[in-house]
Amino acid sequence: MDPIVGREQELALAGAFVDGLSDGPRALVLEGEAGIGKTALWRAALAEAEAGGCRVLRCVAEQAEARLSFVGLGDLAGALADEFLPALPEPQGEALEVALVRRASGSGRAPDPTAVGVGFRSLLVAAAQAGPVVVAVDDVQWLDTETARALAFAIRRLDGRSVGVLATLRTPLVAPEPLGLERALGPERRFVRARLGAVDLETVRVLIESRLGYTYRRPTLLRIAEESTGNPLFALEIARALGPEPALEPGAPLPVPENLREIVAGRVAGLAPHAHAALLAAAALCLPTVDLVEQASSAEGLVAAEESGLLCLEGDRLEFAHPLYASAVYAAAAGGRLRALHARLAELVANPEERVRHRALAAAGPDEGVAAALEDAAAAARSRGGWETAGELLEQARTLTPSARPEAARERGVRAAEHHIHAGDRPRARALLEAILAEAPRGSTRADALRLLAEIRYNESSFADVAPLLDEALANTDDPALTVAIELDLSYVRCNHLGDAAAADTHADSAVAHAERAEDRTLLAEALAVRATVDFLIGRGVDWSLIERALALEVAGRTLPLFFRPSAIAACLKLWTGRLEEAREELTALRLAAADSGDDSDLAYFLTWLAWLETQSGNFAAAAAFADEAAVEATLAGSEFNRAWALSQRAFIHAHRGDAAATRADAAAATEICMRFEASNPMLWVTGALGLLELSLGDAAAAWAALAPVTEAFEATGIGEPLAMSVPHAVEALIGLGELDRAERLLDDFERKACELGRVVALTAGARCRALLLAARGDLRGAHEAIERALAEHARTDLPFERARTLLVQGQLHRRRRQKRATRESLEQALALFEPMGAERWAQRARDELARLGRHRKEGLTASEGRVTDLAVQGLSNKEIAQALFVTVHTVEVHLSHAYAKLGVRSRTQLAGRLAAGEA
């Protein structure tokens, strides 16, 4: 569906309109300004009407044809004329034929309007006898008068016929709606007026990407949405004018679509100079008021500007009829005139930030006084969360810095880039940093630019060249604060993504040491928190005293990536160690704080962890919503790496729900990004998702194929942190394949580490795997004890999905021990947990297990013989049956032999026929 049409409420109205035609005539009018998406929605509604069996009569009215007689009637009635016109009474038929230019008038006079209206009504009534008819008019305001009159006449006289009118109407109206539909049909359900509003930011993004192939970051999209007021057509035209890689000068307005520029130019051309001066003053002001515009131009000019219709008075405020009119007026002015105007406005405005902007735009060349004032204004904007504004002000400050102060210009440029990163505009920051690095000498400014460029690259493109950039940055500075920041980045990159735990450990120690020597509490807070994270990731557990010390030292409002903030690290560590409620509260607060501060650069990171939290809690719908939002936020911020995290988490959620196609699609997309970035961490989610999916499908071989690469890495290096979600899945897959010794070695390491660190989540999974392993070896008593231990661990935490899986295994063990009542109780408890969560494949497995209870009693088979024969007739080999039921191949052979004897068959083909006949 066209992105413009993605408006559920309006489409629902269109569907209700089509469904209601069987009850008699009705009308739906879609209103809105030009380009808002009326026609796209109109077309979608007509497609739905045709799919529902309606006959659609279309007319696309044009302003140029509005003065032509009956041109619209030709479109609407032409399709009916050949079929029904011959049967009409002669006066009606003759009038219609003349109106439709099918023959000349016998009298030489124009057709009688009443006869045309009556004839058109007769055509509609005749057509409606075969099924509902929809009269569809796009841009009904341009319908020619004669057609409008005939259509209005017919509508008022349709009685109970199944005829509807679906029209679009451009607003604001310059004349009454020409068909009089509300008066003819009444407001009670038969007439509906729907006004289309602005589309949201995500729709603007999808629209631009799908139509033009341009990918813009959030700040650019926000400006486009604001300037277009959410009008899809205007948004597209602005994007066309911007091009695929916009390079806007700081403070510059967006380009104006050529067609709108021509419209405004035509309207302004006829205005008196003093009216044009008032319009230009209003366009140049951030908050134009009557007083300011009059002082900058004249009272007479303001009155004339209002009378032009381009400028409107709202209390004391002045607003353009559309924001793009302001851009068009401003873009048409000459540079010298604009500088003079901005100099005048700098003397008039009271707001310090706006005043310095006008001073900057009035400057004819470098001016340190203005540059310093811009720097101060940027600090004020940053304190209010205006990251993009602050970045633009600093860029202007860089431009206006005198050539005698090159280091100051570079420093302002680096700070501008940092603010653009936090605004989510990494491409703009990258271009700025690359320009600075092309001429920056050795020193701390160069080091800081390298550090920020590395941060951009590990979000945008690849980790391959990030470490060398950071190493070079470290060699370029002896500034303690900058050294700590670089060491933290190196620790993050090497541990999280390059898998070099030893190097990460060294960098974390170095960061703490430099922070302590610098005696900077904020730096020390961050270094201590990262030190605790590295310890956790390499399997040392969590030193909560380090976290408490970091939190006590943390200073709110400091500019740094979210994943380096002590409060954020503390929340994630609580999540990772199973303290879910604390983590939910803290992560939610951090998410809201990030949104309030305007720093959306790393928001996707926290949304991903909120998604995982809700997945663990069994709230799959909430988890999916967070993962979807994370994917969108990552795209808007230009962070491909965070998008990989979001996609891998979404695959994990799909796997829990049992949606195989969606799991594989998101897993493949995440894998492609990880391969390009040479990043390993999101692949844990991908392999975990694919492994879980294949286990739910009962395919141990496919599960192992997905899990093998990661599992082999664990086997080679040892399990550091036992929360690695793929290990229990790998153990189950190995058991299913009959690789019991290898499964046991992996499980021993996993449970040892889980016990050592007290990871309840890992202990429950480990005990369930131990039960499966013991059952596969025939030790049902040991398996029963292990599953009871797993359920006891579940009592210490709230993990409904994992508990349901454990109950499912318990039910299978009870059945093997021939404890029918206990079997049913366990399976019903598992099903009661799986179903509300939407874990459909696992729920079906529980249903299948319940259905097998007593199913084969009438054939004289035991429960075990019944399970084996079920799988045999499905085509599984003896080995595959043994793997599925966690028994030996010999046990399968014995059960099949007994079943053959009881049923009087000698082959699997005969077995299938015998069971099918029995069930029939």
Side-chain angles (χ1 to χ4, degrees):
M1 182 178 291
D2 191 308
I4 302 174
V5 183
R7 305 178 182 184
E8 289 78 4
Q9 186 176 4
E10 286 85 355
L11 283 173
L13 285 172
F17 161 78
V18 173
D19 293 341
L21 286 177
S22 58
D23 297 331
R26 59 190 55 235
L28 172 61
V29 177
L30 306 171
E31 297 181 352
E33 64 182 32
I36 201 68
K38 303 184 299 298
T39 298
L41 182 57
W42 179 78
R43 288 173 181 158
L46 294 185
E48 184 173 337
E50 289 178 324
C54 296
R55 184 168 192 160
V56 175
L57 312 176
R58 302 170 190 259
C59 172
V60 178
E62 298 285 348
Q63 185 176 11
E65 299 173 346
R67 296 182 182 275
L68 302 177
S69 299
F70 293 116
V71 66
L73 192 66
D75 294 334
L76 296 173
L80 303 177
D82 290 338
E83 187 175 351
F84 299 112
L85 196 147
L88 296 186
E90 185 177 347
Q92 298 177 30
E94 181 180 349
L96 274 177
E97 286 191 314
V98 173
L100 297 176
V101 200
R102 296 169 71 94
R103 71 171 178 174
S105 171
S107 63
R109 295 192 301 270
D112 177 26
T114 301
V116 174
V118 173
F120 186 48
R121 174 193 175 276
S122 298
L123 289 181
L124 293 175
V125 169
Q129 290 176 354
V133 176
V134 175
V135 179
V137 184
D138 190 21
D139 274 333
V140 71
Q141 74 279 353
W142 303 133
L143 200 61
D144 64 271
T145 304
E146 288 77 6
T147 297
R149 185 184 295 120
L151 181 52
F153 180 95
I155 290 167
R156 291 195 297 272
R157 293 166 176 82
L158 285 172
D159 304 322
R161 270 67 174 199
S162 298
V163 179
V165 178
L166 181 59
T168 69
L169 180 65
R170 183 178 299 185
T171 56
L173 293 176
V174 295
E177 180 266 303
L179 302 181
L181 293 170
E182 186 168 9
R183 183 167 59 86
L185 297 174
E188 295 182 1
R189 299 181 62 183
R190 292 198 300 160
F191 174 78
V192 177
R193 186 193 305 274
R195 182 178 294 276
L196 275 65
V199 297
D200 59 20
L201 185 69
E202 173 62 4
T203 303
V204 170
R205 180 186 72 80
V206 173
L207 175 64
I208 292 171
E209 288 187 10
S210 63
R211 294 285 186 84
L212 304 179
Y214 301 166
T215 301
Y216 293 149
R217 302 303 170 223
R218 180 189 296 276
T220 304
L221 286 170
L222 284 170
R223 291 193 64 188
I224 291 174
E226 180 182 340
E227 289 292 310
S228 66
T229 61
N231 182 302
L233 177 63
F234 287 172
L236 272 176
E237 292 302 321
I238 292 172
R240 277 197 183 91
L242 274 175
E245 296 183 5
L248 289 171
E249 292 297 321
L254 291 177
V256 181
E258 193 59 40
N259 55 354
L260 186 64
R261 190 192 307 272
E262 292 171 3
I263 292 171
V264 177
R267 295 182 67 175
V268 171
L271 297 178
H274 62 283
H276 187 268
L279 286 171
L280 185 57
L285 285 161
C286 296
L287 297 171
T289 64
V290 170
D291 182 56
L292 282 173
V293 172
E294 283 184 348
Q295 290 185 68
S297 56
S298 66
E300 295 80 4
L302 178 56
V303 171
E306 285 186 75
E307 290 175 348
S308 74
L310 291 171
L311 204 58
C312 308
L313 182 62
E314 297 287 339
D316 185 48
R317 288 279 305 279
L318 292 166
E319 293 183 359
F320 279 84
H322 194 285
L324 285 176
Y325 291 167
S327 298
V329 168
Y330 189 89
R337 184 178 183 187
L338 286 176
R339 283 194 295 274
L341 174 62
H342 284 297
R344 172 67 175 146
L345 294 175
E347 298 173 354
L348 297 176
V349 297
N351 182 280
E353 182 181 312
E354 186 174 3
R355 186 186 308 123
V356 75
R357 278 184 177 275
H358 288 302
R359 286 180 63 192
L361 292 169
D367 185 323
E368 178 57 28
V370 176
L374 284 166
E375 198 168 14
D376 292 340
R382 153 71 185 87
S383 69
R384 298 190 302 272
W387 294 97
E388 182 189 8
T389 298
E392 287 187 350
L393 290 168
L394 284 165
E395 277 198 76
Q396 287 181 293
R398 174 179 179 247
T399 301
L400 292 175
T401 302
S403 58
R405 305 191 69 232
E407 186 62 18
R410 285 190 287 269
E411 175 59 25
R412 286 164 175 163
V414 170
R415 296 282 70 75
E418 184 175 28
H419 285 68
H420 288 318
I421 291 172
H422 285 275
D425 197 347
R426 290 188 175 92
R428 185 169 183 174
R430 183 185 64 245
L432 190 54
L433 290 168
E434 288 173 348
I436 292 168
L437 286 168
E439 50 90 21
R442 178 183 175 83
S444 290
T445 301
R446 181 175 182 83
D448 209 10
L450 288 163
R451 177 185 68 85
L452 291 172
L453 185 59
E455 181 181 331
I456 291 169
R457 288 193 180 168
Y458 68 59
N459 274 282
E460 275 191 348
S461 54
S462 171
F463 286 96
D465 59 350
V466 167
L469 283 175
L470 291 171
D471 288 337
E472 183 186 348
L474 201 59
N476 265 269
T477 185
D478 54 8
D479 176 78
L482 188 52
T483 299
V484 172
I486 296 168
E487 292 282 18
L488 293 179
D489 276 338
L490 281 164
S491 179
Y492 173 78
V493 169
R494 293 193 186 280
C495 187
N496 282 276
H497 310 299
L498 300 181
D500 189 347
D505 204 17
T506 301
H507 289 301
D509 277 343
S510 178
V512 171
H514 280 91
E516 286 178 333
R517 283 197 294 272
E519 298 183 350
D520 185 321
R521 59 177 289 146
T522 58
L523 291 175
L524 184 56
E526 294 148 23
L528 292 171
V530 170
R531 172 71 275 171
T533 304
V534 173
D535 284 341
F536 170 82
L537 291 173
I538 60 180
R540 295 175 183 154
V542 180
D543 185 343
W544 292 106
S545 66
L546 278 184
I547 293 297
E548 289 169 7
R549 188 180 170 199
L551 290 173
L553 294 170
E554 184 177 20
V555 175
R558 178 168 161 76
T559 303
L560 76 163
L562 287 171
F563 44 80
F564 285 157
R565 295 183 185 175
S567 53
I569 287 174
C572 286
L573 287 171
K574 288 174 182 177
L575 169 63
W576 299 335
T577 54
R579 295 160 63 174
L580 300 188
E581 286 308 312
E582 293 175 75
R584 178 181 282 108
E585 181 179 346
E586 292 176 23
L587 285 170
T588 301
L590 284 162
R591 176 198 178 194
L592 294 174
D596 289 343
S597 72
D599 185 353
D600 299 320
S601 55
D602 298 307
L603 189 55
Y605 180 80
F606 282 102
L607 290 167
T608 299
W609 290 121
L610 280 166
W612 187 49
L613 189 154
E614 297 302 344
T615 303
Q616 287 188 287
S617 300
N619 302 321
F620 296 160
F626 280 130
D628 287 343
E629 189 180 351
V632 171
E633 289 293 338
T635 300
L636 290 174
S639 175
E640 277 288 278
F641 183 67
N642 276 339
R643 185 165 173 269
W645 275 109
L647 291 172
S648 60
Q649 177 58 224
R650 203 161 68 182
F652 197 58
I653 298 162
H654 290 317
H656 280 72
R657 285 175 153 174
D659 188 335
T663 302
R664 290 173 179 140
D666 279 340
T671 299
E672 186 277 325
I673 296 172
C674 289
M675 295 292 287
R676 181 155 38 90
F677 273 71
E678 300 182 19
S680 58
N681 270 15
M683 288 305 297
L684 292 174
W685 297 97
V686 171
T687 55
L690 293 173
L692 178 64
L693 175 69
E694 300 299 348
L695 288 173
S696 74
L697 296 171
D699 192 337
W704 176 247
L707 295 162
V710 172
T711 306
E712 288 164 358
F714 286 135
E715 289 175 319
T717 62
I719 295 171
E721 173 49 54
L723 286 181
M725 67 202 70
S726 60
V727 174
H729 300 160
V731 171
E732 288 193 41
L734 288 169
I735 293 170
L737 292 172
E739 299 276 353
L740 303 186
D741 291 341
R742 187 175 184 182
E744 185 167 22
R745 289 193 298 273
L746 184 62
L747 181 58
D748 287 345
D749 288 345
F750 181 77
E751 286 193 303
R752 176 185 53 76
K753 198 65 178 182
C755 186
E756 177 185 319
L757 297 174
R759 297 284 180 267
V760 177
V761 177
L763 289 170
T764 59
R768 182 176 67 240
C769 289
R770 182 66 64 180
L772 291 170
L773 179 63
L774 292 169
R777 285 191 161 139
D779 184 359
L780 294 184
R781 174 174 292 182
H784 174 73
E785 292 173 355
I787 210 69
E788 289 295 325
R789 189 166 64 251
L791 288 169
E793 293 292 351
H794 276 299
R796 298 168 56 192
T797 188
D798 184 19
L799 301 169
F801 179 79
E802 290 299 308
R803 178 176 174 80
R805 288 187 65 195
T806 301
L807 286 165
L808 179 60
V809 172
Q810 184 187 47
Q812 293 168 333
L813 293 174
H814 281 317
R815 184 171 53 224
R816 288 189 62 183
R817 302 179 77 192
R818 301 185 181 182
Q819 298 168 333
K820 184 173 181 180
R821 178 179 295 178
T823 300
R824 185 175 297 279
E825 288 175 356
S826 296
L827 294 175
E828 287 178 345
Q829 288 180 49
L831 185 60
L833 288 171
F834 283 136
E835 285 185 329
M837 286 186 282
E840 183 50 39
R841 290 193 185 275
W842 290 97
Q844 189 57 49
R845 289 185 64 172
R847 292 189 203 102
D848 291 344
E849 293 284 349
L850 283 166
R852 291 191 183 105
L853 288 175
R855 174 177 164 187
H856 296 279
R857 180 172 294 176
K858 62 182 179 181
E859 302 290 353
L861 303 182
T862 67
S864 297
E865 291 164 354
R867 287 194 297 275
V868 170
T869 56
D870 276 343
L871 295 176
V873 298
Q874 291 175 27
L876 274 68
S877 67
N878 287 359
K879 182 178 180 181
E880 289 170 333
I881 295 171
Q883 293 168 357
L885 298 178
F886 305 110
V887 297
T888 65
V889 173
H890 176 69
T891 300
V892 173
E893 292 170 346
V894 170
H895 285 321
L896 278 176
S897 175
H898 290 166
Y900 281 9
K902 290 178 180 180
L903 296 173
V905 299
R906 297 186 177 184
S907 68
R908 294 193 179 209
T909 301
Q910 291 178 340
L911 175 66
R914 178 72 176 80
L915 291 178
E919 290 178 1

